[in-house]
Amino acid sequence: MLCPSTKRCQTGFTRKGYRCVCANGLLGENCTEGPPLGQVVPDIIETVEGRNITAMCNVTGNPKPDRTIWKRSDGILSSARTMVSKGNLTKLNTTTQDNGFYVCTAANPWGTKSPSVILHVY
């Protein structure tokens, strides 16, 4: 057998005449690595002005994402009334100016994942 059981063999790609490719869709030497996976919880937040909200960016990956960044879809996240801690986004004393999409981007060497939350303030 040319390739271990976690990989499938493809022919014609190298000087050896074959290469081993992970059969499970993952990557890395042992077929256990891949881009981050995740979601923002909740994915829709509806609130009234003056309330605080928190969105949790739950991401995993092997290797673990080396950075997690929150942004507004229309640009940079303003620091006024905004806190980011351990992947969580908290907006204090929300106003209708806070309405919009917020994107949490997590990255590792294999790729990125950018789940989002929609905030509606009434």
Side-chain angles (χ1 to χ4, degrees):
M1 174 185 253
L2 299 174
C3 295
S5 63
T6 58
K7 297 184 178 188
R8 60 185 163 80
C9 191
Q10 290 183 334
T11 59
F13 290 97
T14 66
R15 281 187 238 142
K16 294 186 292 186
Y18 69 95
R19 73 176 176 180
C20 299
V21 179
C22 297
N24 56 8
L26 294 176
L27 306 162
E29 185 64 32
N30 297 315
C31 298
T32 59
E33 298 180 4
L37 301 172
Q39 62 184 25
V40 173
V41 177
D43 59 351
I44 300 173
I45 298 175
E46 295 184 345
T47 190
V48 295
E49 284 191 300
R51 295 236 174 116
N52 301 340
I53 62 92
T54 297
M56 296 173 287
C57 185
N58 298 325
V59 292
T60 60
N62 184 18
K64 184 178 178 180
D66 54 10
R67 63 188 180 279
T68 302
I69 300 168
W70 277 97
K71 290 187 179 181
R72 277 187 76 139
S73 63
D74 61 353
I76 296 172
L77 188 63
S78 93
S79 60
R81 301 178 295 100
T82 302
M83 297 184 308
V84 176
S85 176
K86 298 181 181 177
N88 297 331
L89 170 71
T90 299
K91 294 289 289 177
L92 304 173
N93 192 26
T94 57
T95 71
T96 55
Q97 297 295 313
D98 297 319
N99 284 335
F101 285 87
Y102 292 82
V103 179
C104 165
T105 300
N108 72 11
W110 294 109
T112 61
K113 179 72 175 179
S114 297
S116 63
V117 59
I118 302 169
L119 175 59
H120 297 284
V121 181
Y122 303 101

